[in-house]
């Protein structure tokens, strides 16, 4: 894992007053996930069908890890849902960039089938659920939002981000500000431990759950010391997620995580450095240089920033030399024209004509 160690060193050099561990103790509400096109239907899955209930079946798309949630666990998940008969997609939390919170055993009636499926999943697991209409939106369906036809069996693509057993069925909306920040901080610390073990995907799941406790609706209500407390947990989760994404070479996602932090703190050195690094790898040289120069201005002694700027300069120099060689071949000096080969018959004929002309002139002079 030499590359990981090098990346940790580069990131730690941007952290204020710390070594490699400091990155992990570092907060907006865009969460990672894979977006599909609006017209994309349910995924094609060929794994074994598991019967969870008379009206609920599951097919695993991606295996998870760890334990399954128990009753009254607070689960955080992403899902897309389609009416099976029409394949009309009526819900997509990935598109909305906001995970769903679901307390097992206290879910809404239309979420009963979904809860049965989630109850059988492990953190990080992704699955396709088939839910009968009796455990979904029922005989009448829903004509507001979401718009679901009557007696509609539904298909759900679900990813369980993670769950919290400690809340004893307490939803985020029922928690005090301190409780929500505390729950988020615990998740961040769990992510930190996984990061140290280089379990990057699992660490990101913990950071994502921490962020889910502090969605936009929650942050908009905070001010003063409570907002500062929340950001002190929230921004580090985004920054550490960005560090994981850089190691996983998922540069566009890393840029997005850093940009979230920079909307709250435009002078955040770590966010500028990591976004600049990701942009540099993607060939967005001008934007990368702008980020890194701003970071260097804020942290002039930082060697990692100087190193990235040097790499950009060396890359541009190499590109310039390559282009120079290319253009030299295309627009170099024109070659000297080769002398045309002479036709000796014509040369002899021209010599004879000249001789006859000279003899004729000499005779004419004598006659005069």
């Amino acid at each position: 894992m030499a590359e990981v160690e090098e990346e940790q060193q580069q990131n730690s050099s941007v952290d204020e007053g710390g070594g490699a561990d400091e990155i992990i103790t570092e907060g907006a509400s865009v969460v990672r996930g894979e977006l599909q096109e609006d017209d994309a239907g349910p995924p094609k899955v060929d794994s074994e069908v598991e019967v969870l209930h008379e009206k609920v079946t599951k097919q695993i798309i991606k295996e998870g890890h760890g334990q399954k949630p128990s009753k009254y666990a607070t689960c955080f998940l992403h899902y897309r849902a389609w009416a099976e008969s029409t394949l009309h997609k009526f819900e997509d939390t990935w598109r909305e960039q906001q995970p769903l919170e679901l307390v097992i055993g206290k879910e809404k009636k239309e979420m009963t089938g979904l809860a049965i499926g989630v109850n059988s999943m492990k953190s990080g697991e992704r699955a396709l659920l088939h839910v009968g209409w009796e455990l979904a939106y029922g005989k009448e369906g829903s004509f507001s939002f979401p718009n679901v036809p009557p007696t509609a069996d539904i298909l759900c693509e679900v990813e369980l981000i993670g769950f919290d057993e400690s809340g004893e069925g307490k939803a985020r909306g029922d928690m005090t500000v301190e409780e929500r920040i505390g729950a988020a901080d615990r998740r961040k610390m769990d992510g930190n431990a996984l990061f140290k073990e280089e379990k990057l995907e699992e660490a990101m799941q913990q950071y994502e759950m921490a962020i889910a406790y502090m969605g936009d609706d929650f942050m908009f209500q905070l001010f003063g010391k409570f907002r500062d407390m929340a950001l002190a947990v929230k921004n580090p989760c985004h920054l550490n997620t960005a560090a994981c994404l850089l190691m996983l070479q998922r540069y566009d996602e890393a840029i997005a995580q850093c940009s979230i932090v920079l909307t709250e703190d435009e002078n955040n050195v770590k966010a500028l450095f990591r976004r600049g690094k990701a942009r540099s790898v993607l060939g967005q040289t001008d934007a990368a240089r702008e980020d890194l120069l701003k970071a260097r201005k804020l942290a002039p002694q930082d060697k990692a920033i100087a190193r990235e700027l040097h790499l950009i300069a060396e890359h541009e120099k190499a590109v310039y030399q390559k282009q120079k060689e290319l253009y030299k071949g295309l627009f170099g000096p024109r070659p000297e024209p080769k002398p045309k080969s002479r036709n000796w018959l014509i040369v002899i004929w021209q010599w004879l004509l000249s001789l006859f002309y000279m003899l004729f002139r000499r005779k004419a002079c004598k006659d005069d």
Side-chain angles (χ1 to χ4, degrees):
M1 296 295 289
E3 293 180 359
V4 172
E5 291 172 3
E6 180 183 357
E7 184 61 43
Q8 286 176 330
Q9 290 170 2
Q10 291 174 354
N11 283 315
S12 66
S13 63
V14 186
D15 294 340
E16 296 176 3
D21 293 347
E22 283 294 314
I23 352 181
I24 331 228
T25 55
E26 306 213 337
S29 332
V30 174
V31 292
R32 66 187 177 86
E34 301 170 9
L35 295 180
Q36 292 183 346
E37 298 298 327
D38 287 337
D39 58 354
K44 302 294 188 291
V45 187
D46 55 8
S47 60
E48 182 181 353
V49 176
E50 182 181 354
V51 179
L52 305 177
H53 181 278
E54 183 182 357
K55 297 296 180 180
V56 183
T57 62
K58 181 181 81 168
Q59 289 176 280
I60 295 177
I61 300 172
K62 184 185 74 172
E63 294 284 352
H65 55 85
Q67 302 297 314
K68 298 176 182 179
S70 61
K71 191 173 183 179
Y72 302 131
T74 301
C75 302
F76 297 95
L77 56 120
H78 276 302
Y79 84 110
R80 303 180 181 97
W82 296 264
E84 186 178 25
S85 59
T86 62
L87 294 185
H88 163 65
K89 184 168 68 173
F90 60 84
E91 189 73 272
D92 189 341
T93 62
W94 276 287
R95 181 68 57 186
E96 296 162 7
Q97 298 185 333
Q98 187 70 35
L100 174 72
E101 177 189 31
L102 187 149
V103 178
I104 302 293
K106 293 187 176 182
E107 68 278 352
K108 297 178 181 178
K109 184 179 179 181
E110 61 269 20
M111 296 288 180
T112 303
L114 178 62
I116 291 171
V118 171
N119 198 195
S120 74
M121 298 172 69
K122 300 177 181 179
S123 294
E125 181 178 327
R126 186 180 289 211
L128 181 67
L129 303 179
H130 179 283
V131 180
W133 61 267
E134 297 89 344
L135 299 182
Y137 287 83
K139 189 173 183 179
E140 296 183 356
S142 174
F143 292 94
S144 55
F145 179 83
N147 184 7
V148 185
T151 62
D153 294 341
I154 64 173
L155 294 169
C156 295
E157 180 184 4
V158 185
E159 180 176 353
L160 178 59
I161 301 168
F163 56 90
D164 193 347
E165 300 280 9
S166 63
E168 297 181 353
K170 199 169 188 178
R172 286 175 295 180
D174 298 329
M175 293 181 178
T176 65
V177 171
E178 291 90 342
E179 286 175 332
R180 286 181 74 156
I181 295 174
D185 191 52
R186 287 193 297 274
R187 286 297 175 185
K188 184 194 74 173
M189 298 305 293
D190 290 343
N192 296 348
L194 290 165
F195 187 100
K196 291 177 182 178
E197 296 174 14
E198 297 178 357
K199 297 178 179 179
L200 303 181
E201 291 284 355
E202 296 175 28
M204 287 194 294
Q205 288 169 354
Q206 295 300 316
Y207 295 139
E208 188 171 358
M209 283 189 63
I211 293 167
Y213 275 105
M214 294 177 289
D216 289 337
D217 55 340
F218 176 67
M219 295 301 295
F220 287 153
Q221 301 174 40
L222 301 182
F223 58 92
K225 71 171 186 177
F226 289 117
R227 184 170 181 83
D228 292 340
M229 288 169 58
L231 288 175
V233 177
K234 189 168 180 286
N235 281 344
C237 288
H238 287 293
L239 289 170
N240 294 338
T241 299
C244 294
L245 291 166
L246 282 171
M247 295 180 197
L248 294 170
Q249 299 181 5
R250 290 158 57 178
Y251 300 112
D252 285 321
E253 294 173 75
I255 290 170
Q257 293 291 327
C258 294
S259 296
I260 291 168
V261 176
L262 291 167
T263 59
E264 292 285 352
D265 179 8
E266 63 180 1
N267 293 324
N268 189 291
V269 176
K270 282 171 281 204
L272 289 166
F273 172 77
R274 291 171 192 168
R275 189 172 73 173
K277 184 176 179 65
R279 284 174 164 176
S280 177
V281 175
L282 292 176
Q284 301 170 9
T285 309
D286 291 340
R289 187 190 296 105
E290 182 180 351
D291 280 342
L292 293 167
L293 286 174
K294 185 173 182 179
R296 187 175 68 178
K297 185 176 180 180
L298 295 165
Q301 303 302 318
D302 193 282
K303 294 180 180 179
I305 298 172
R307 182 165 55 248
E308 286 301 319
L309 284 167
H310 178 71
L311 289 173
I312 290 177
E314 288 296 310
H315 174 71
E316 288 186 323
K317 183 179 178 181
V319 170
Y320 171 75
Q321 290 296 334
K322 191 172 182 179
Q323 290 176 340
K324 186 177 178 181
E325 291 297 320
L326 176 64
Y327 294 147
K328 182 179 179 181
L330 292 175
F331 305 109
R334 295 177 62 182
E336 293 292 332
K338 294 181 180 180
K340 296 181 179 179
S341 59
R342 306 181 72 180
N343 189 320
W344 288 104
L345 288 175
I346 295 175
V347 172
I348 293 171
W349 175 249
Q350 290 175 339
W351 182 78
L352 288 172
L353 285 176
S354 300
L355 182 61
F356 289 147
Y357 178 74
M358 290 172 61
L359 292 173
F360 176 77
R361 289 291 304 272
R362 185 177 297 176
K363 186 177 182 301
C365 289
K366 288 182 178 179
D367 292 343
D368 292 342

